[in-house]
Amino acid sequence: MTAVGAPAGPARRTGAGFGTQLWVLTARVLRAYLLDPRLLVANMLGPLLMLTMFSQMLGSLARAPGFPAGVRYVDFLVPALLITSAMQQAFGSAVGLTLEMRDGIVTRLRAMPLWPGSVLLARSLADLVRGGLQLLLILVLAALVFGFRPPGGPAGALAAGALALAVGCCLGWIFVALACWIRNAELVQSVAGLLTFPMIFASNAFVPVGGLPGWLRAVVRVNPATHGIEAARDLVLGVPTLGGVVTALAVSAAVGITAAAVAVRGFQRRP
């Protein structure tokens, strides 16, 4: 028993529950995003520019040998843009995380009774919300401006969008892990850009795999983005694709869980 008048021991810090932590931290990231119209415009314009450029520049590929018969190029392209756009959300988030580390915001969060991974998970959830808005805009404008009429119907297009969010969220942890270990915004941007290029262009995003050189075809097959693009494209084109969806989710989840574990370990390191 403690004697009367004896000084009390140090108070034990208690924090909010995990759900509350996640909600507050996610809202913090989203608030900064939604209150800056420049970020909104920049995030929305990128995929729309890609949709415009590739649909017009590469549209003639639909008549090339080896291209799926009866498939228009815009219907071939949109599923790929859904996957790549969802994946790239974490690119900007990783740069933002390094800036917060530099400015001391993360240091203040460390002083709170928080599970360290909740800071990173909140960013991933914020990317999911932002990605959902972006993908919805892509689908709407692709239909209104470019005549996107998926053979799989609206249900197939929405299912492809949901799959893209799941795949993009998982693969996006690669960029978060880079931010946690490199901790330099300029270097993170450079390295993430180097990784993004092969993940997008060394895939089946813009041309069928059969039309690629043999060595590049082997690279495409081990690219985790390829499985997501192929499954999303099958959903849009109305092709039975349960096995493809399961494969895409399994590969993406394996990459995401591994990258998340690396990210949390790097985040816990002291500067």
Side-chain angles (χ1 to χ4, degrees):
M1 294 178 62
T2 304
V4 177
R12 183 180 178 183
R13 292 192 306 171
T14 58
F18 176 72
T20 303
Q21 292 180 25
L22 208 54
W23 169 260
V24 172
L25 292 171
T26 303
R28 181 185 72 87
V29 178
L30 285 174
R31 193 179 302 113
Y33 171 73
L34 295 174
L35 292 179
D36 190 341
R38 298 170 300 177
L39 286 175
L40 283 169
V41 172
N43 275 274
M44 296 302 175
L45 280 182
L48 297 180
L49 288 174
M50 291 184 69
L51 176 61
T52 303
M53 292 174 56
F54 285 110
S55 64
Q56 302 306 305
M57 293 172 58
L58 303 179
S60 59
L61 286 175
R63 298 187 294 273
F67 196 85
V71 176
R72 298 182 311 153
Y73 189 73
V74 67
D75 297 336
F76 181 87
L77 175 65
V78 168
L81 290 185
L82 294 178
I83 295 289
T84 57
S85 298
M87 185 177 64
Q88 286 180 296
Q89 283 294 328
F91 186 112
S93 187
V95 175
L97 179 60
T98 58
L99 293 175
E100 289 190 347
M101 289 179 178
R102 183 195 67 187
D103 296 340
I105 297 174
V106 168
T107 302
R108 290 197 291 271
L109 290 174
R110 285 181 187 278
M112 301 178 182
L114 299 173
W115 176 58
S118 63
V119 177
L120 305 181
L121 187 56
R123 281 198 166 270
S124 183
L125 291 178
D127 291 341
L128 201 63
V129 175
R130 290 162 47 187
L133 296 174
Q134 190 180 62
L135 298 192
L136 184 60
L137 182 63
I138 291 174
L139 289 174
V140 169
L141 291 185
L144 294 179
V145 179
F146 298 98
F148 175 57
R149 299 293 184 270
L158 291 176
L163 176 66
L165 287 177
V167 171
C169 181
C170 291
L171 299 185
W173 278 96
I174 297 173
F175 304 118
V176 177
L178 283 175
C180 291
W181 283 92
I182 296 177
R183 301 190 179 189
N184 178 286
E186 292 78 11
L187 187 55
V188 166
Q189 195 165 9
S190 298
V191 175
L194 288 174
L195 282 177
T196 301
F197 187 84
M199 288 182 73
I200 293 177
F201 292 99
S203 71
N204 57 348
F206 306 112
V207 296
V209 176
L212 299 173
W215 68 269
L216 184 55
R217 205 177 305 162
V219 174
V220 169
R221 286 301 181 191
V222 298
N223 184 346
T226 295
H227 301 284
I229 293 169
E230 190 169 18
R233 186 170 285 147
D234 286 345
L235 288 168
V236 165
L237 298 179
V239 178
T241 184
L242 180 59
V245 170
V246 171
T247 299
L249 291 175
V251 170
S252 301
V255 173
I257 291 170
T258 303
V262 172
V264 171
R265 184 166 183 177
F267 185 78
Q268 291 175 319
R269 289 187 311 134
R270 294 294 174 180

